[in-house]
């Protein structure tokens, strides 16, 4: 009987999520992003390099360890598409159907729609643990679907739209029976999506284990076995996927900068509400953005008023499960605030941390994102309170009213994201309204309309297998147009944009290139692009008879033995 009810609810949740996610997708996105051949919307921003990673990965084989090693994008400096946030799970799926895809395809539009659906579905699954009112569950799940903290990642960090993994983890946490297989499965998917979210899931998983150990559902022996299985299976997964890359520094700077503000739950950031005004904040606190939404804030005040007026005590709020996850949420909020705390733009505390602690926190870098779990716990607690209202009819009317306010109040956001995911080359000045962005328009225009139009580029693609940048560094000038040209022509590059940089390797590669240039000993299968003035002067001085050493379409190149190989 219980199984039949569960299956019926799952079917209703799937149908409702399908409808709601389609409506949300159309409201916030240009539907053309579902077309794999529509790719211009990915530029500018971080999403352009996620796309580049996928284009180069198409040249790789899946029969390698790590599976997502992406050597052609960076060569000696390369890492994996997992470390570069390029959605390994989608890359794997699309690689299997690569033969039927259009040239220069993208999978990010399909991923975004999938995230809308899964966000809605797992929100309903989570809420079902606390209510049997299906209509109320469906209504409130819409708040999860339009949650600013979720939608904000539409700006470009698409792997971080997988908030549904957090909701799914919370759903497992609140299940009456401990199900380790479900944990293993969901962690496997998280490693194919986002390491950041996997860390948050581990916190929920560990809390679940401790809670069940205290409740004597599991003993010390089983506790140790479960953790051991998790540790070794996770270690194998992250190695195979490619999160463990020799020479890549996992700990980087950013902790204490990319954080949350004490008022983050009420800060509309001058975009996410026409009603609630912006609160001044500090640069870098966008990573800790967690505005609750005007509709949710309204419901929160109504709920507080209701509790104060009726002195109603919620037994459900005193359950062990909620106590544990609430304590963890408070600790995570403190971590999100970091050791450098602000209330609005007022600096209130700055704690000096020991170096080893600072380096440890440097692995997560953007600690502000740890506010995501507290954010969703606030949503969950609010639902529990509202579900306890005696008059369900008034309760549902209030929810509908709050939803209308919430949806209408983010119309600026929906307009902005539809423009950004559409013809961005046309909409650029509407999307990036600041004068500092207008100054960059000419630079981005080179990405939408590559300057590499001369006939020599067609010849280079036939003759050379690689492009070497003189001298490479992370995200150097003109890296995108050169890398895109290389990806389209199945060429390797020694540069790129990487989230984790092999600094020692960069020094080695630069040293080797200096030797090559000084000795005039270029590789015959490699085209050289010069961004260094001193090196370019040396190249001009040492030019050989059959070398092409020329500035073409504004790009300085050395093409070794070009005239000889062109004739062949």
């Amino acid at each position: 009987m219980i199984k039949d009810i569960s299956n019926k609810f799952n079917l209703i949740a799937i149908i409702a999520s399908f409808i709601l996610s389609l409506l949300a997708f159309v409201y916030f996105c240009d539907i053309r992003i579902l077309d794999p051949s529509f790719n211009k919307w990915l530029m500018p921003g971080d999403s352009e390099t996620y796309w580049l990673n996928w284009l180069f990965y198409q040249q790789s084989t899946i029969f390698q360890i790590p599976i997502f090693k992406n050597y052609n994008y960076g060569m000696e400096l390369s890492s994996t598409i997992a470390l570069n946030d390029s959605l390994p799970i989608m890359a794997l799926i699309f690689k299997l159907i690569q033969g039927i895809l259009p040239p220069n395809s993208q999978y990010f539009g399909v991923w975004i729609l999938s995230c809308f659906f899964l966000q809605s579905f797992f929100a309903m699954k989570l809420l079902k643990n606390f209510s049997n009112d299906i209509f109320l569950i469906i209504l409130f799940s819409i708040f999860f679907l339009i949650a600013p903290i979720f939608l904000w990642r539409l700006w470009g960090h698409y792997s971080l739209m997988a908030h549904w993994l957090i909701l799914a983890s919370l759903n497992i946490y609140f299940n009456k029976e401990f199900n380790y297989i479900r944990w293993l499965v969901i962690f496997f998917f998280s490693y194919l999506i986002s390491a950041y979210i996997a860390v948050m899931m581990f916190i929920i998983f560990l809390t679940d284990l401790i809670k069940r150990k205290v409740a004597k559902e599991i003993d010390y022996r089983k506790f140790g076995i479960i953790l051991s299985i998790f540790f070794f299976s996770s270690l194998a997964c992250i190695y195979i996927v490619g999160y463990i890359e020799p020479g890549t520094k996992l700990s980087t700077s950013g902790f204490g900068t990319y954080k949350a503000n004490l008022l983050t739950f009420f800060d509309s950031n001058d975009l996410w509400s026409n009603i609630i005004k912006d609160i001044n904040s500090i640069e870098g606190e966008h990573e800790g953005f967690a505005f609750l939404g005007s509709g949710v804030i309204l419901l929160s005040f109504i709920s507080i008023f209701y509790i104060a007026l009726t002195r109603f005590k919620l037994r459900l709020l005193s359950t062990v499960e909620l106590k544990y996850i609430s304590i963890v949420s408070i600790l995570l909020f403190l971590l999100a605030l970091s050791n450098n705390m602000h209330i609005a733009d007022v600096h209130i505390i700055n704690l000096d941390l020991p170096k080893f602690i600072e380096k440890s926190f440097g692995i997560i870098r953007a600690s502000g994102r740890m506010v995501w779990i507290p954010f969703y716990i606030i949503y969950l607690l609010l639902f529990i309170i509202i579900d306890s209202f005696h008059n369900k009819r008034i309760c549902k009317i209030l929810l509908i009213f709050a939803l209308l306010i919430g949806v209408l109040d983010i119309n600026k956001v929906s307009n902005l994201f539809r423009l950004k995911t559409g013809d961005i080359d046309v909409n650029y000045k509407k999307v990036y309204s600041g004068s500092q962005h207008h100054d960059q328009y000419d630079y981005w225009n080179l990405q939408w309309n590559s300057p590499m139009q001369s006939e020599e580029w067609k010849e280079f693609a036939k003759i050379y297998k690689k492009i070497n940048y003189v001298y490479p560094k992370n995200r150097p000038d003109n890296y995108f147009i050169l890398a895109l040209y290389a990806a389209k022509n199945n060429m390797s590059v020694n540069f790129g944009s990487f989230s984790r940089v092999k600094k020692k390797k960069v020094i080695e590669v630069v040293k080797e290139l200096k030797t090559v240039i000084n000795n005039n000993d270029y590789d015959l299968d490699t085209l050289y692009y010069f961004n260094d003035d001193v090196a370019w002067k040396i190249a001009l001085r040492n030019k050989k008879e059959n070398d092409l050493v020329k500035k073409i379409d504004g790009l300085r190149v050395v093409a070794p033995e070009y005239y000889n190989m062109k004739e062949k």
Side-chain angles (χ1 to χ4, degrees):
M1 180 68 178
I2 295 174
K3 189 175 181 180
D4 290 339
I5 294 171
S6 177
N7 289 337
K8 182 182 177 182
F9 174 79
N10 285 338
L11 180 60
I12 292 171
I14 288 170
I15 294 170
S17 296
F18 179 75
I19 295 169
L20 291 173
S21 61
L22 278 179
L23 291 172
F25 181 79
V26 172
Y27 187 54
F28 291 105
C29 303
D30 189 311
I31 61 171
R32 288 177 295 170
I33 65 175
L34 293 175
D35 179 0
S37 66
F38 184 61
N39 52 45
K40 193 172 284 191
W41 64 284
L42 295 167
M43 305 169 275
D46 290 337
S47 54
E48 67 183 24
T49 195
Y50 305 152
W51 179 48
L52 273 181
N53 269 273
W54 157 241
L55 294 182
F56 278 100
Y57 184 65
Q58 292 181 58
Q59 303 172 31
S60 302
T61 174
I62 58 173
F63 300 106
Q64 59 178 346
I65 301 294
I67 294 174
F68 299 103
K69 177 69 178 173
N70 203 9
Y71 179 79
N72 290 330
Y73 186 50
M75 292 193 280
E76 289 84 357
L77 308 183
S78 66
S79 56
T80 66
I81 64 173
L83 278 174
N84 288 318
D85 299 325
S86 296
L87 286 166
I89 191 170
M90 296 302 292
L92 183 60
I93 294 169
F94 270 58
K95 188 160 182 63
L96 294 175
I97 58 171
Q98 185 177 332
I100 62 172
L101 293 174
N104 311 316
S105 62
Q106 57 84 20
Y107 46 63
F108 299 97
V110 175
W111 168 253
I112 289 169
L113 177 58
S114 301
C115 284
F116 272 110
F117 172 78
L118 293 167
Q119 178 82 352
S120 176
F121 178 74
F122 282 110
M124 291 183 197
K125 292 283 286 182
L126 175 61
L127 298 177
K128 182 67 173 67
N129 290 293
F130 302 93
S131 176
N132 291 316
D133 191 325
I134 295 176
F135 184 64
L136 193 68
I137 290 170
I138 292 172
L139 271 181
F140 201 88
S141 72
I142 300 173
F143 286 112
F144 288 82
L145 199 54
I146 63 170
I149 203 169
F150 165 66
L151 293 173
W152 169 229
R153 296 301 159 179
L154 262 175
W155 191 253
H157 291 166
Y158 303 125
S159 64
L160 296 179
M161 287 194 73
H163 285 212
W164 52 270
L165 285 170
I166 298 172
L167 302 182
S169 299
L170 288 170
N171 181 51
I172 298 173
Y173 171 87
F174 283 109
N175 279 346
K176 291 180 180 179
E177 294 182 4
F178 182 73
N179 193 320
Y180 187 53
I181 300 301
R182 287 185 182 178
W183 276 119
L184 284 179
V185 169
I186 199 170
F187 268 110
F188 173 74
F189 279 105
S190 73
Y191 297 139
L192 291 172
I193 296 169
S194 170
Y196 257 112
I197 293 179
V199 170
M200 298 180 204
M201 291 168 57
F202 174 72
I203 294 168
I204 299 171
F205 166 68
L206 190 59
T207 308
D208 192 20
L209 272 183
I210 294 170
K211 172 197 71 179
R212 295 183 193 275
K213 171 63 192 71
V214 172
K216 297 182 179 179
E217 292 181 40
I218 56 176
D219 55 23
Y220 280 111
R221 181 175 172 274
K222 191 173 182 181
F223 186 92
I225 290 171
I226 290 170
L227 272 184
S228 298
I229 293 173
F230 169 80
F231 176 77
F232 288 110
S233 61
S234 293
L235 192 63
C237 279
I238 63 178
Y239 177 72
I240 291 170
V241 171
Y243 288 106
I244 301 174
E245 179 71 11
T248 301
K249 190 178 180 182
L250 291 179
S251 180
T252 60
S253 60
F255 181 76
T257 300
Y258 302 116
K259 62 187 186 67
N261 193 287
L262 266 169
L263 298 179
T264 186
F265 296 123
F266 305 98
D267 184 6
S268 68
N269 205 22
D270 203 29
L271 173 66
W272 294 86
S273 176
N274 296 306
I275 302 169
I276 300 172
K277 298 304 178 183
D278 176 48
I279 297 173
N280 291 335
S281 56
I282 305 301
E283 186 177 352
E285 288 183 342
H286 61 279
E287 288 292 1
F289 170 75
F291 180 58
L292 291 171
S294 55
V296 170
I297 290 173
L298 172 65
L299 287 176
S300 299
F301 282 118
I302 291 172
S303 298
I304 293 169
F305 179 74
Y306 170 78
I307 292 171
L309 189 66
T310 62
R311 296 182 181 179
F312 181 73
K313 293 184 179 180
L314 291 168
R315 290 181 183 177
L316 206 53
L317 289 180
S318 61
T319 61
V320 173
E321 292 85 358
L322 280 169
K323 280 182 179 178
Y324 275 79
I325 201 66
S326 296
I327 292 169
V328 168
S329 294
I330 292 169
L331 294 174
L332 286 174
F333 183 58
L334 291 174
L335 178 59
L337 295 174
S338 82
N339 61 323
N340 181 26
M341 296 186 192
H342 287 78
I343 181 166
D345 56 356
V346 179
H347 196 194
I348 58 173
I349 192 168
N350 189 9
L351 299 174
D352 289 327
L353 298 175
K355 284 290 181 184
F356 75 95
I357 293 179
E358 194 171 324
K359 282 190 174 182
S360 298
F361 285 149
I363 296 173
I364 59 174
R365 187 169 173 257
S367 69
R369 296 173 185 174
M370 292 298 152
V371 78
W372 297 353
I373 292 176
F375 178 94
Y376 285 119
I377 293 302
I378 290 172
Y379 269 41
L380 182 59
L381 293 174
L382 183 60
F383 173 77
I384 293 170
I385 294 169
I386 289 172
D387 183 59
S388 70
F389 287 6
H390 294 301
N391 193 323
K392 296 296 181 183
R393 186 168 174 271
I394 291 178
C395 171
K396 289 168 186 175
I397 291 172
L398 277 173
L399 269 184
I400 293 170
F401 178 68
L403 275 172
L404 284 173
I405 290 176
V407 171
L408 294 175
D409 197 33
I410 53 174
N411 68 306
K412 282 193 298 187
V413 175
S414 66
N415 291 333
L416 181 71
F417 284 142
R418 281 200 305 273
L419 289 172
K420 190 179 188 302
T421 55
D423 297 311
I424 187 61
D425 51 335
V426 176
N427 302 328
Y428 179 86
K429 292 182 180 179
K430 294 178 182 177
V431 174
Y432 297 91
S433 56
S435 57
Q436 73 275 21
H437 297 301
H438 290 182
D439 295 338
Q440 297 174 5
Y441 179 78
D442 291 338
Y443 169 75
W444 294 117
N445 191 48
L446 292 178
Q447 304 199 23
W448 300 313
N449 303 290
S450 174
M452 302 164 74
Q453 301 299 321
S454 297
E455 287 299 314
E456 286 93 339
W457 296 109
K458 295 177 183 177
E459 294 296 325
F460 293 157
K462 297 174 186 176
I463 298 170
Y464 302 106
K465 296 178 182 178
K466 307 172 188 174
I467 298 178
N468 273 354
Y469 194 107
V470 181
Y471 296 105
K473 60 179 181 178
N474 194 32
R475 206 169 183 132
D477 295 339
N478 293 320
Y479 93 94
F480 183 80
I481 57 174
L482 287 163
L484 184 58
Y485 163 78
K488 288 180 177 179
N489 291 287
N490 295 318
M491 301 167 78
S492 304
V493 296
N494 73 337
F495 59 92
S497 177
F498 311 106
S499 58
R500 295 290 188 274
V501 182
K502 300 177 180 178
K503 293 184 178 179
K504 289 184 179 178
K505 272 291 181 184
V506 172
I507 294 170
E508 290 175 14
V509 170
V510 169
K511 185 178 179 180
E512 289 172 6
L513 277 171
K514 285 182 177 179
T515 301
V516 167
I517 294 163
N518 288 327
N519 295 336
N520 202 22
D521 187 24
Y522 299 103
D523 292 334
L524 297 183
D525 65 347
T526 304
L527 178 70
Y528 293 80
Y529 166 74
F530 283 73
N531 195 54
D532 186 89
D533 294 336
V534 174
W536 179 244
K537 288 177 182 177
I538 295 172
L540 288 171
R541 187 172 63 243
N542 294 339
K543 178 182 179 296
K544 294 179 183 177
E545 183 181 353
N546 290 310
D547 292 348
L548 185 151
V549 182
K550 183 181 178 182
K551 192 173 185 179
I552 305 172
D553 298 325
L555 303 171
R556 301 183 297 198
V557 298
V558 169
E561 290 295 319
Y562 171 74
Y563 294 108
N564 264 343
M565 291 191 281
K566 180 184 177 184
E567 292 174 2
K568 294 178 183 179

